[in-house]
Every structure is written in structure tokens, then in C-alpha cells.
Amino acid sequence: MLCVAIPFGSGPRAHSFVESMKNDLLLALNQLAAEKNLPAETVYEAVEAALTSAFRREEDDAPNMYVKIDARNGEIRAYRQMFVVEEVENPRVEMSVEEARRWKPDARPGDVLDFEEEIPKNAGRIAAQTAKQVVLQRLREAERDAIYEEYIHKVGELLVGTVQKVEA
């Protein structure tokens, strides 16, 4: 009897499920941008900042992590930035010139190298809450800025309208 171990979450059905989730993410982000009357890039940046914050918290406050979302296919990638230095004082954020030259032959002190990291599989509840709070805060700020930009050039004009919502 032949036994083959297939990791959970692999195979053709899992692949189509992941692709479906990516498409759903893109659809949701674009729909959110349309509902809030914001550029899609603003929403993507808010979600990237939220995921970055969540992953940093999950990875023991890794200050050199950041996240990017590919707007074409929904791919989420996490990166760790490493600073090239003569003498390494903090190996979590710095690497020696010799080590950096294995990745980039002409690396010099002061360069910054980006390394793709695996996205944490089990982002916890606190990380999810952090991500949600960051997204909501960024979207509120973007909405406020958009409203300000819409009306700043109308200072001194007489406008007629109905108040629908008052924010503090």
C-alpha cells in the first residue's frame, strides 16, 4: 500500500479556494473604495498598513516588516527590510556587508535589502483587531481628507444643503 502525505490546504481544490479568496479580497477592497468614494490605492494602502501592523505585532514587534498587496491578482506578500552596516548591532534589522553581498554583489553600507517572508499562518485575534482598527482609522482619515478637499475651494460661497451627519 502506497501512502502519500499531502499537506492540508494543498491540491487543486485548495488552489481554487485560495484564488477565489484573492478575487473576493480584490472585489471587497474595490467595492469599499467605491462606497467610500475613495481612490482604490487609498484603500489598498490602508489594508497594507493594517496587515503590516498586525504582522509586526505577531512577529514580536519586527519594525522592519511591511506588506504589499498586488492589485492585479490579490497576492499578499510580506517583506523584511535589512539594513546593510559595517558592524551588526541588531541582527533582527541589520546585516553585514559580507552577508549582503551574497544577495546583492554590489551592496554597500547604507543599502536596504528586502527579503520576502512567509505570512504568519495563525495571525491571532489581537492582530486581527489591530488590523481592523488601523483600516477603519485610515479610511476615516481618507474620507475626512476627501470631504475637506471637496469643499475647501468653496470657502466664502453660499451653499444650500441638508445636514445628514455630524462628526466631532
Side-chain angles (χ1 to χ4, degrees):
M1 182 167 129
L2 177 64
C3 228
V4 179
I6 299 176
F8 178 75
S10 64
R13 291 183 73 196
H15 177 71
S16 66
F17 176 72
V18 170
E19 290 304 314
S20 173
M21 283 185 60
K22 289 178 188 176
N23 291 337
D24 289 347
L25 174 66
L26 289 175
L27 183 64
L29 293 179
N30 289 324
Q31 183 177 355
L32 183 60
E35 285 176 8
K36 300 286 186 179
N37 199 22
L38 296 170
E41 296 79 34
T42 302
V43 175
Y44 282 94
E45 288 170 7
V47 173
E48 288 171 352
L51 291 173
T52 297
S53 177
F55 292 162
R56 282 180 180 171
R57 184 171 291 210
E58 197 70 22
E59 292 289 319
D60 297 326
D61 195 33
N64 53 339
M65 289 277 292
Y66 70 96
V67 174
K68 283 293 187 193
I69 299 174
D70 188 332
R72 291 170 292 148
N73 62 16
E75 190 80 27
I76 299 173
R77 297 183 186 269
Y79 298 92
R80 180 179 303 269
Q81 290 187 320
M82 298 296 286
F83 300 94
V84 180
V85 295
E86 292 283 345
E87 189 174 318
V88 176
E89 293 175 14
N90 184 350
R92 292 179 51 87
V93 296
E94 298 172 339
M95 66 180 3
S96 68
V97 175
E98 295 79 31
E99 186 179 355
R101 287 192 174 144
R102 289 191 296 174
W103 306 100
K104 182 181 175 200
D106 61 340
R108 297 187 314 250
D111 286 352
V112 179
L113 302 181
D114 292 346
F115 294 94
E116 188 168 349
E117 292 278 318
E118 186 173 321
I119 294 175
K121 298 282 186 237
N122 56 344
R125 182 182 58 82
I126 292 172
Q129 284 179 321
T130 300
K132 179 182 174 184
Q133 288 171 350
V134 171
V135 166
L136 293 175
Q137 177 186 355
R138 291 281 178 107
L139 291 179
R140 275 193 303 270
E141 290 171 1
E143 279 182 297
R144 207 172 311 134
D145 290 346
I147 291 169
Y148 177 81
E149 290 301 321
E150 182 179 347
Y151 290 102
I152 187 63
H153 69 278
K154 296 182 181 194
V155 171
E157 291 182 29
L158 181 60
L159 301 173
V160 178
T162 304
V163 176
Q164 294 178 342
K165 183 171 142 182
V166 177
E167 292 185 10

